[in-house]
Amino acid sequence: MIENKALLEVLETVKARDPHEPEFIQAVTEVLETLEPVIDRRPDLVEAGVLERFVEPERIISFRVPWVDDAGKTRVNRGYRVQFNSAIGPYKGGLRFHPSVNLSILKFLGFEQVLKNSLTTLPMGGGKGGSDFDPKGKSDGEVMRFCQSFMNELYRHIGLDRDVPAGDIGVGAREVGYLFGQYKRLQNLYGGVFTGKGLTYGGSLARREATGYGLCYFTEEMLAANGKTLAGKTVLVSGSGNVAIYAAEKAMTMGAKVVAMSDSSGFIHDPNGVDLAVIKEIKEVRRGRIKEYVEAHPDATYTEGSRGIWGIPCDVALPAATQNEIDGESARLLAKNGCFCVSEGANMPSTPEAIEVYFENKMLYGPAKAANAGGVSVSGLEMSQNALHLSWSFEEVDERLRAIMKQIFAACDAAAKEYSTPGNYMAGANIAGFLKVAEAMKAQGCV
Ligand code: NDP
């Protein structure tokens, strides 16, 4: 519970202003609660009005996205870009295409992105955008026409030194290609205005792998600081998208055994260790469903309902699907079955109740904004390569990613020790991320 008066007032204002935005309120509450020891010591930040501005996006753009489906019918979706904070660099953050997208979700993601980007050590502000469009079940032509229409509006708000989008749920290589192509056509500019681009047109090696690999590098640092390692551990990875697949791949390389993965319909359990080549073929090549896995591995089981994955005994859980996918009940199951570490690949996958369970059970907890910052870090490296007109090798990018994740862990660890409870990496991530942005906001005056 917050006691600091300034923090309480800011939180009450957010709740009163946007009572219909539960995810945004959840994200802001978690961060403000952990900032108390900093704000107690830094009244100058309150004096400079940093807090009020920190929780309010600089700009929100909302627009109509009309497109024509394969049957010739006009469809209309809603597009958004939340330009949250540009104190330390141009807005940077992904686009999400999913039917659940609304302003509450994009504001929570944009808010988290500000802190995450600050932790990367790279000069990037925070933003997020997307649409309630569902690419699932659409033809390539429909996805292309939607992306082109989306960009017909978005292009005027983005740019190399203004706002650099990337992918997120539902926005992979195909969507980024169509979006970038339309931006280039409209602007007559071949700028590095998107990250996550294809390798033939300015993308970075290891960007596809970055979030999942980075998650394992962060997790390994956290385990090492507590006398443990991923090698030999049993691991659950939820989701089977970009983050999940490469988290599973790196965890296996590090000697862990990944025994389960999921999609939004259900989960597979393969006690022999998941065969990632089969998952990649289903998900990356055929855009199929995870239940098809058991056709190739009849010894594995498929269960409907994605939450059931948290009932499988494991040492380490890597949620990599979506927000609030682990609730209090799932967290208690994990703890009961011996899980001692949860490290987050997805954004805000744990509910506040789940996080309480982690702390009550003295589990190691790697919060998303630190643990999954590898993706945006390599996006930053993609921007550097574009600016230098150079391409670094996979090994070079991977090496830099590893070094960044190490630094991020060290920053969370140090801030937790200085301001909060040692080992509380959630507080450490929030505090370290906040301080850099807050200093920049104060220095730039009331803007
Ligand atoms: P993808 O679209 O590639 O994959 C998402 C995966 O999650 C799919 O397997 C999807 O299944 C599954 N999923 C979606 N909703 C649910 C649900 N309710 N229950 C179980 N599974 C579900 O997205 P990403 O891998 O890119 O993103 C995953 C998470 O990681 C998101 O929270 C995103 O914000 C975060 N993230 C992504 C980064 C990146 O670089 N891509 C960077 C940092 C964070 P289905 O196929 O059935 O929809």
Side-chain angles (χ1 to χ4, degrees), residues 96 98 109 113 116 128 136 167-171 207-208 210-211 238-244 262-266 283 288-289 306-307 320-323 325 345-348 372-376:
R96 177 177 289 191
H98 192 270
L109 288 165
Q113 195 81 42
K116 181 187 313 192
K128 201 82 188 186
K136 232 182 272 166
D168 189 72
I169 291 180
V171 180
R207 173 61 188 89
R208 182 184 59 176
T211 309
S238 65
S240 45
N242 174 259
V243 179
S262 62
D263 63 17
S264 57
S265 309
K283 287 291 174 181
R289 307 304 300 159
S306 38
R307 267 180 208 268
T322 194
Q323 64 272 359
E325 55 174 308
N347 282 309
M348 203 168 79
N372 75 19
V376 73

Side-chain angles (χ1 to χ4, degrees), residues 347-398:
N347 282 309
M348 203 168 79
S350 309
T351 64
E353 198 190 341
I355 297 171
E356 267 177 44
V357 173
Y358 306 154
F359 286 126
E360 276 163 19
N361 287 277
K362 303 206 167 20
M363 292 157 80
L364 294 174
Y365 171 48
K369 60 178 76 68
N372 75 19
V376 73
S377 300
V378 172
S379 279
L381 300 180
E382 181 175 330
M383 290 163 76
S384 305
Q385 292 170 79
N386 292 161
L388 294 167
H389 301 281
L390 279 176
S391 297
W392 296 329
S393 68
F394 188 99
E395 290 69 28
E396 194 168 351
V397 178
D398 192 32

Side-chain angles (χ1 to χ4, degrees), residues 162-434:
R162 182 175 294 143
D163 185 349
V164 184
D168 189 72
I169 291 180
V171 180
R174 174 181 62 172
E175 290 76 15
V176 169
Y178 294 148
L179 289 160
F180 176 74
Q182 187 70 353
Y183 176 82
K184 184 168 65 70
R185 184 177 189 196
L186 290 167
Q187 290 286 54
N188 192 23
L189 262 182
Y190 203 106
V193 75
F194 245 90
T195 58
K197 298 188 289 298
L199 293 176
T200 53
Y201 58 95
S204 173
L205 284 162
R207 173 61 188 89
R208 182 184 59 176
E209 292 81 359
T211 309
Y213 280 22
L215 170 64
C216 291
Y217 295 150
F218 181 92
T219 306
E220 191 69 341
E221 286 295 317
M222 178 167 71
L223 290 171
N226 292 276
K228 296 182 163 64
T229 172
L230 263 175
K233 301 299 181 299
T234 300
V235 175
L236 305 178
V237 179
S238 65
S240 45
N242 174 259
V243 179
I245 286 178
Y246 293 95
E249 181 168 286
K250 184 50 79 175
M252 289 175 192
T253 316
M254 290 174 150
K257 190 194 219 185
V258 176
V259 295
M261 294 183 76
S262 62
D263 63 17
S264 57
S265 309
F267 67 94
I268 54 120
H269 180 200
D270 190 340
N272 300 320
V274 167
D275 180 346
L276 208 54
V278 172
I279 298 280
K280 284 187 183 180
E281 208 273 322
I282 296 169
K283 287 291 174 181
E284 293 188 332
V285 181
R286 288 195 278 120
R287 294 178 188 274
R289 307 304 300 159
I290 205 156
K291 68 175 168 203
E292 295 159 34
Y293 181 88
V294 294
E295 290 164 20
H297 286 280
D299 289 351
T301 54
Y302 171 75
T303 311
E304 282 287 323
S306 38
R307 267 180 208 268
I309 192 172
W310 309 120
I312 300 171
C314 70
D315 301 307
V316 175
L318 302 177
T322 194
Q323 64 272 359
N324 291 329
E325 55 174 308
I326 306 186
D327 58 10
E329 194 187 328
S330 304
R332 276 186 286 277
L333 259 182
L334 283 168
K336 185 172 134 245
N337 288 332
C339 173
F340 61 80
C341 170
V342 178
S343 201
E344 298 180 332
N347 282 309
M348 203 168 79
S350 309
T351 64
E353 198 190 341
I355 297 171
E356 267 177 44
V357 173
Y358 306 154
F359 286 126
E360 276 163 19
N361 287 277
K362 303 206 167 20
M363 292 157 80
L364 294 174
Y365 171 48
K369 60 178 76 68
N372 75 19
V376 73
S377 300
V378 172
S379 279
L381 300 180
E382 181 175 330
M383 290 163 76
S384 305
Q385 292 170 79
N386 292 161
L388 294 167
H389 301 281
L390 279 176
S391 297
W392 296 329
S393 68
F394 188 99
E395 290 69 28
E396 194 168 351
V397 178
D398 192 32
E399 203 44 52
R400 286 174 193 258
L401 167 65
R402 200 175 192 131
I404 290 172
M405 298 315 294
K406 210 177 160 80
Q407 275 177 284
I408 293 177
F409 175 75
C412 298
D413 191 36
K417 284 176 179 149
E418 185 176 350
Y419 290 97
S420 178
T421 314
N424 183 341
Y425 307 118
M426 173 177 82
N430 290 342
I431 291 167
F434 169 76

